[in-house]
Amino acid sequence: MPSIADRLKNVSVSASAAMTQRARELSAKGIKVVSLSSGEPDFPTPAHAIEAAHVAALGGDTKYPPMDGTSALKAAIAEKFKRDNNLDYEASQIVVSGGGKQVIFNAMLATCNPGDEVVIPTPSWVSYADIVKFAGGTPVAVPCLEEAGFKLRAEDLEAAITPRTKWLILNFPNNPTGAACSRAEMAAIAEVMLRHPEIWILTDDIYEHLVYDGFEFCTIAEVEPRLYDRVLTMNGVSKAYAMTGWRLGFCASGSKQLISAISNVNGQNSGGISTVAQAAAIAALNGPQDLLKERAAIYRERRDFVVDALSGIDGLRCHKPEGAFYVYPNMSALIGKTTRGGRKIETDVDFVMALVDEHHVATVQGAAYGMSPYFRVSYATSMEMLGEGCARIAEFCSAMR
Ligand SMILES: Cc1ncc(COP(=O)(O)O)c(C=O)c1O
């Protein structure tokens, strides 16, 4: 038989995708599954973005685009960075890719040599470690403990850095914990990074607009301008504008050398991003921004509801995060118990699997994000679903012996 490349040997299938598949199988049998596992907004894409795509397609904007993004979209991105982050980037410092995910993929492929280490504050989005391995690098997890509000402490970061460290990846507000970083906390991280001038910093700001209770988002290149040349600031339209299916993300850096390397990879693996998606993104970035605050207010209500509901369940402990649309409850008190259906709970994987099979609520095990025993609950769904989901989780936990 012909064979598959060795580079795929350690790269796993996303755990949240595996849970979505399990939920689909149950749904296909006619079972009503409450899905709290999906990492995407339940809101629609703004109508003006859809209209812009329509107009672009009808107007003949259907040819190969510039590999690194149209000049109109780059101008909208530069304006976004100035408006939201007080960062100055020129068109030559920006690359547009097929989602934030492809930005990360391109950046790792453009820079990692075998043995290079990438420091990943953990719990972390499932894809970082796999992308790093794909690129030949070695992921190094730094624990962000519940006791510290799942934040990255400067001393833990310092301890994880070695002469092989190539990148630090920051993602606050965080998937899966929702933890965000204050200016003072970011300044402490920046101080460590100033002592290590040979390390790139990727900041994944995809949840930037999802912060609550007046919490102010900040990003490292703005907090510490001396890092500007080493920071790759990544963002996209997926989460903020509910445009996950359009597949559009972007990045910018003070280093033109890094941008040119990323652009080279981007050109080879995509040939540029869909012209209609670029037109939609321009409309989203340049259009009215009120929807960001309106939607954030709805997410905040949902977060408060979910944190209260889960905190009231015996056996769970639920930290209240500052942002994103996830909570990450601790279920260590349930380890060793047996479910009503007779399943012994030894790990968070056992917990989420028994929960979906017996009470039909889909969540994702903490193990997938590198920290156990926890599970991730996404509240990017209706209050009705959240109410039903939390009630089922409560029944599931209270029936354990
Ligand atoms: C932290 C984080 N970064 C990036 C992405 C992917 O973003 P995109 O849809 O733009 O590829 C996700 C999606 O779940 C995410 O949680």
Side-chain angles (χ1 to χ4, degrees), residues 321-341:
E322 297 86 1
F325 42 56
Y326 310 106
V327 291
Y328 201 60
N330 179 314
M331 45 74 60
S332 55
L334 299 174
I335 299 280
K337 300 211 170 197
T338 302
T339 67
R340 182 182 286 153

Side-chain angles (χ1 to χ4, degrees), residues 24 60 62 74 103 161 206 219 233 235 237 261 285 314 323 325 354 374:
R24 266 198 206 119
T62 52
K74 286 185 171 198
V103 168
I161 292 172
I206 204 98
T219 192
T233 305
N235 214 314
V237 293
L285 292 171
D314 257 358
F325 42 56
Y374 296 86

Side-chain angles (χ1 to χ4, degrees), residues 99-101 125 128 171 175 204 206-207 238-239 247:
K101 189 175 222 173
W125 181 40
Y128 296 137
N171 171 226
N175 175 5
D204 175 346
I206 204 98
Y207 295 100
S238 294
K239 315 285 175 172
R247 307 309 305 129

Side-chain angles (χ1 to χ4, degrees), residues 80-96:
K80 174 257 169 295
F81 280 128
K82 189 68 194 164
R83 175 179 70 226
D84 298 337
N85 312 116
N86 197 26
L87 285 171
D88 289 301
Y89 292 116
E90 295 167 9
S92 60
Q93 294 175 287
I94 295 171
V95 180
V96 177

Side-chain angles (χ1 to χ4, degrees), residues 177-316:
T177 65
C181 213
S182 71
R183 259 191 121 70
E185 288 156 352
M186 192 62 86
I189 292 170
E191 206 180 299
V192 174
M193 298 316 289
L194 282 171
R195 288 198 287 276
H196 297 279
E198 66 295 342
I199 304 174
W200 297 111
I201 303 155
L202 165 63
T203 177
D204 175 346
D205 296 345
I206 204 98
Y207 295 100
E208 159 176 28
H209 294 292
L210 302 177
V211 282
Y212 314 120
D213 304 326
F215 192 92
E216 282 192 20
F217 171 84
C218 64
T219 192
I220 194 161
E222 192 244 327
V223 171
E224 181 43 86
R226 283 176 290 174
L227 292 172
Y228 179 76
D229 284 345
R230 289 199 277 137
V231 173
L232 183 67
T233 305
M234 182 222 112
N235 214 314
V237 293
S238 294
K239 315 285 175 172
Y241 302 97
M243 292 176 68
T244 45
W246 298 80
R247 307 309 305 129
L248 195 134
F250 47 84
C251 61
S253 177
S255 166
K256 289 198 180 161
Q257 190 200 7
L258 179 63
I259 285 297
S260 139
I262 289 175
S263 184
N264 193 355
V265 178
N266 200 56
Q268 292 300 346
N269 70 17
S270 79
I273 305 314
S274 153
T275 49
V276 290
Q278 295 200 55
I282 294 169
L285 292 171
N286 287 347
Q289 301 296 303
D290 317 352
L291 72 113
L292 298 175
K293 286 223 155 56
E294 287 159 19
R295 290 179 176 181
I298 296 170
Y299 283 124
R300 186 189 61 82
E301 247 177 70
R302 293 171 176 179
R303 178 205 59 176
D304 291 349
F305 172 81
V306 169
V307 169
D308 282 353
L310 296 179
S311 300
I313 298 174
D314 257 358
L316 298 185

Side-chain angles (χ1 to χ4, degrees), residues 375-388:
F375 63 108
R376 189 191 76 169
V377 172
S378 163
Y379 53 86
T381 187
S382 67
M383 274 295 210
E384 190 195 342
M385 280 297 182
L386 292 172
E388 176 70 24

